[in-house]
Amino acid sequence: MRTRNIVSGTASTEPNSVEHSGKTAPAGRKFKPLTLPQILRRNSKSNTSITAPDVPNTSSVITAPLEELLTFEQNLERNRLSAAGQQLIEREERLYGQISEEVVQSTTEREEEKEQLTRDHKALLSQIDLAVKSSLSPDEDSLEALKSAVKAILQEEEQDRQWLKQEGKRPDWRPSECRRHHNTVLQSLVEERMDNAELPPEESNKLRSSLQRDVCGKGRRLQEDLLRVVKDVKGCYPEDMDICNFFGKMYHQAFSAGMRKIEEYGLGMDDCSYLLYWVNVAYPEILQNPELTKAEVQTLINKVLMVEEQAWMEGSVPELRDNCYFSPLAIDVIQFINAAVKSIEAVWGDTSKVQIIVCLLKDFLNSYKKFQEKVLKGSNNGNSRTVIMAILACVEQFRDYIVNKADIFPVDVKECCLSIVAEMKNIGYTSLTSPIHKDLKSQYSDLGTPVWLEKKKEVFDKLFEGINKHTQDLKGLTDSCHQELLSQLHLEVTVEYVRRLLKRKIKLRDKEMQEQAARLLCEDGQRLHKLFTEAGSREEWLSDILPKIAEVLKLQDISSIQLEIVTLSQAYPDLSEFQVSALLSLKSNLSASAVKRVKKTLLDNQDTTSSQDAPSFFSKTDNINMRRTASS
C-alpha cells in the first residue's frame, strides 16, 4: 500500500539553509503573530533526487566549430558556468580519480595542477555567487547567467554525491555543498534588499512618518520581488528546488524580523494603527496576490502528479478502499485549488480573480491525460489495470468538482475541462472493455450466420456465459464508475451483435426462416438486456434495438416494412441507407424494386423525422473502434 506525503504543515527552507531569528516583542504591546497564509505555508519535500543535466559528449565537442571550443576562462567570462563547471569536473576526475594518463607526470607537476584546479574552482563558485546575487535583476543576461549557475550547482551536488560513494583522497573542497551555499547567498540577498528598501520620493512624501515609509517600502519591495520570482526566476530552476516557496519563506522571515524590530520602539497612535493595518490587511493581500498564489498552487499540483507517476513506474498498486482502487490525487489537487480560491476571495473580495487559479486545472488535466496514455502504453506493467481504475475514480471527482463549481470557471475553460474529463473516461473504460471483446471474439463470430440460426440458443448461450463471467470479474471500481463501465459494455456488445447481423452472412429465404430469426433476436435481446441491467447498466433504451430489427425481419408486406423502417429511423436518426440495405438483404425473398422503394421511403422521411435528442446507435456499427478486437 502506498501513501502520499505532498505537503507539510508549515513552510520550510532547504535543510541546509540558514534560519533567520528575530527578537521577542516587548511586554505590554500585543500584535497579531505574523504567519504565512495557509496556501503559502504548504511545502513539499520532493522524493526525486537532483541530477546534473546532460553534457554534450566528447565527439560533439570535437566536431564543433573552432570558435565554439572555449577554455575554462572564456566560459567563465561569458557566464557559461555549467560548461565551465563540467570542464573542472573532468580535470578533477583526471587528477583525483581513476582515469589513466598517457604521460606520467612528476609529483610537482601534479601538485601544481591541483593547486590551479583549486583556484579555478574557487573562481567558479565566486562567479556562481555573482549570478545568484543578480537573480532579481530584470535583464535577460542575468537570467541566462542564473540558469547556467543553477545547472552548475546541480553538477556540483552530483559530484559531491559521487565522491561520497568512493574511497581515497578527494579534493579539499569536497563536498562543496554548493546548494547550501546558494541558499545562504539568497537569504543574504533578500535581507539586504529588504533592509535597503525605499519608496520613490513622490510616494514617500505622502506618508507621515519614517516608520510608515519604512514599512511601506519593505512591503513594496517584497511584493515586487516575489512577482519577479514567479514570472522570471522560477523558470531558471527545476521544480524540485521549489524556488518560489523558498523565496516566499525568506521574504516572510525578513519582513517579520523588520516588524519585530519596529515593535521595540515607542509607537504613536498613527504609527501603531498603520502597523496593525499592514500586519492584518496589506501584508496578507500581498502574499495572496493571484499571481503568487497561482505559482504556488501550480508547483503543488504538479508534484502531486509527479508522485503518482513515480508510484506507477515503481510498480505500486493503488490503495484498496471499500473494494475500490483509490488514489488521493484528485482530492489533493481539488483541496489545493479550493484553498487558494477561498483565500483569494477572502482577501480580495473579488470572485473574478479566482479564475487565474481554476484555469490551472485545464493544464493539469491535460498532463493527467498524458499520464493516463503513458499507463496504457505500459499496459504490460502488472499494476496498469488497477492504476486505470484509480484514474477513473479521480476523473469522476474532477467532473463533479467542475460541475458543482461551474460559476467560478470561465465558460471556455469549464467546457474544455469537461471535454478532457469525458475523453479520459472514454479512454479508461475502453481500455477495460477491449480485453473483454478480444476474449469474446470466437463467440461473436457465429452471430448472424447459418450456425446461429441452426443451433438456435446454443450460440448465444456461449456468448451469454462469457459476458456473465466478465461482468462478475469487473471489480475495483467505484459504484458509479462500475455502473458507467457496464453501461458502455452493454452498448458495445449490442452494437457488436447488430454489426455481425448486418454482415450479410445469412440468407433468410422465406417467411418461416425470417420469423425464426426474429424470435431468436427477441429472445437474445431480452436475455442480454436482463443480464446487463441486473449487473448495473442503466441503458434501458437498448432493450428496444433487437426487437425493432426483428420486427423488420418478420414483416412480409412491403408497406408494413416501409412503415417499420421509418419508425426505426425516427427512434435512431443515425440509421443509414447502407445499413437498411444490409438489413433488407437478409430477407432474400425481397425484390430489388421492393428494396428500392423501402430505401426511398427512408430518405424521404429521414430529414423530417430526425430528433437531436435521439440516441446514437447504428453509426457505431460502422465505427472502426468497435472492430478493434472483435472483428473476424
Side-chain angles (χ1 to χ4, degrees), residues 148-276:
S148 188
V150 171
K151 290 180 181 179
I153 290 170
L154 299 183
Q155 289 171 183
E156 286 291 301
E157 289 285 295
E158 176 61 23
Q159 190 69 359
D160 283 349
R161 283 191 288 271
Q162 294 303 321
W163 273 113
L164 290 175
K165 297 176 184 177
Q166 300 177 16
E167 297 179 356
K169 183 173 176 56
R170 60 191 181 199
D172 294 337
W173 65 80
R174 292 290 176 200
S176 65
E177 297 186 334
C178 213
R179 184 168 175 180
R180 177 179 179 179
H181 183 68
H182 158 272
N183 294 346
T184 303
V185 170
L186 278 187
Q187 180 168 340
S188 299
L189 171 66
V190 169
E191 292 172 354
E192 180 182 350
R193 290 180 68 83
M194 290 294 282
D195 288 341
N196 298 328
E198 293 182 354
L199 291 173
E202 62 274 14
E203 295 186 31
S204 179
N205 294 335
K206 296 177 183 178
L207 298 175
R208 298 180 179 180
S209 68
S210 59
L211 180 143
Q212 293 180 13
R213 288 189 286 272
D214 185 34
V215 172
C216 188
K218 291 181 187 300
R220 175 72 62 81
R221 172 56 56 82
L222 180 146
Q223 182 180 39
E224 291 175 350
D225 283 0
L226 287 182
L227 285 173
R228 185 170 297 154
V229 168
V230 168
K231 293 179 179 178
D232 299 325
V233 177
K234 178 185 175 184
C236 300
Y237 286 82
E239 276 194 17
D240 49 359
M241 287 188 75
D242 199 11
I243 197 63
C244 292
N245 207 39
F246 180 80
F247 266 107
K249 181 62 181 287
M250 291 299 98
Y251 273 100
H252 175 69
Q253 288 180 346
F255 189 81
S256 299
M259 297 303 101
R260 285 193 292 268
K261 288 180 182 178
I262 290 173
E263 292 175 16
E264 298 174 3
Y265 304 118
L267 301 179
M269 185 59 68
D270 286 347
D271 285 347
C272 185
S273 298
Y274 189 78
L275 185 58
L276 288 171

Side-chain angles (χ1 to χ4, degrees), residues 76-143:
L76 205 62
E77 183 181 354
R78 301 182 188 190
N79 273 326
R80 295 170 49 118
L81 305 180
S82 175
Q86 187 60 36
Q87 288 173 323
L88 293 189
I89 289 173
E90 290 170 1
R91 286 165 57 188
E92 176 184 340
E93 290 179 346
R94 179 173 60 82
L95 290 171
Y96 291 90
Q98 303 300 319
I99 300 177
S100 61
E101 301 179 63
E102 294 181 2
V103 180
V104 179
Q105 295 176 302
S106 68
T107 303
T108 302
E109 289 174 335
R110 179 175 286 271
E111 289 304 314
E112 287 177 354
E113 279 199 38
K114 289 182 178 180
E115 290 175 3
Q116 183 60 48
L117 179 60
T118 301
R119 290 191 292 271
D120 289 345
H121 189 264
K122 185 175 181 180
L124 173 66
L125 295 186
S126 296
Q127 202 66 19
I128 290 175
D129 280 1
L130 291 176
V132 173
K133 289 176 181 177
S134 301
S135 58
L136 294 174
S137 301
D139 59 285
E140 189 64 30
D141 288 343
S142 295
L143 292 176

